[in-house]
Amino acid sequence: YVRRFYHVENDSGIPTHARLAAGGVAGLVAQSFSYPLDILRRRMQVGNPQLRSLSIWQAFKHIQATEGTRRGLYKGLSMNWIKGPIAVATSFTVNDELKKYIRRYIPPASQ
């Protein structure tokens, strides 16, 4: 989608600000979908001893029944919405820029 929007043929033509934006959106979506699993992991490791003996699905249902979906499974997500997209956007952009630099200035190894 980004390549079509900027009318470029390969990834090296995508501007840095577009890379940052795409990485930020990817981080936001990833945090939103994986956060309940992170809550489950944390609660099963250090939380209520009753949750340690349950399966993941049973622990999920228990947290949802006792605390609700929003307050139980998404508690604290707002801070991760700030932290996650910044970290992912930075990582994606640095990775892409280093890749571009390496391809431009370091010749491929001879076969």
Side-chain angles (χ1 to χ4, degrees):
Y1 172 78
V2 176
R3 286 192 306 198
R4 282 190 310 219
F5 182 80
Y6 285 102
H7 305 291
V8 295
E9 290 188 27
N10 57 28
D11 292 347
S12 64
I14 299 172
T16 302
H17 69 275
R19 293 175 191 278
L20 283 168
V25 170
L28 186 71
V29 171
Q31 284 289 325
S32 299
F33 282 105
S34 66
Y35 194 74
L37 294 174
D38 194 38
I39 289 285
L40 281 171
R41 178 190 56 83
R42 254 185 278 136
R43 297 274 183 93
M44 291 177 81
Q45 284 178 340
V46 296
N48 185 349
Q50 178 186 6
L51 290 178
R52 290 183 192 159
S53 62
L54 300 176
S55 70
I56 293 174
W57 183 246
Q58 290 170 332
F60 175 81
K61 290 193 301 188
H62 175 77
I63 292 172
Q64 192 173 26
T66 57
E67 299 177 46
T69 301
R70 191 173 63 90
R71 290 194 185 266
L73 295 171
Y74 287 96
K75 184 185 233 177
L77 178 61
S78 59
M79 280 308 297
N80 278 341
W81 275 346
I82 295 169
K83 177 184 73 167
I86 293 170
V88 174
T90 304
S91 297
F92 280 12
T93 304
V94 168
N95 178 58
D96 287 348
E97 293 299 321
L98 283 174
K99 223 172 31 173
K100 196 165 47 171
Y101 174 82
I102 289 170
R103 286 182 180 153
R104 185 180 305 150
Y105 295 110
I106 299 176
S110 59
Q111 299 289 334

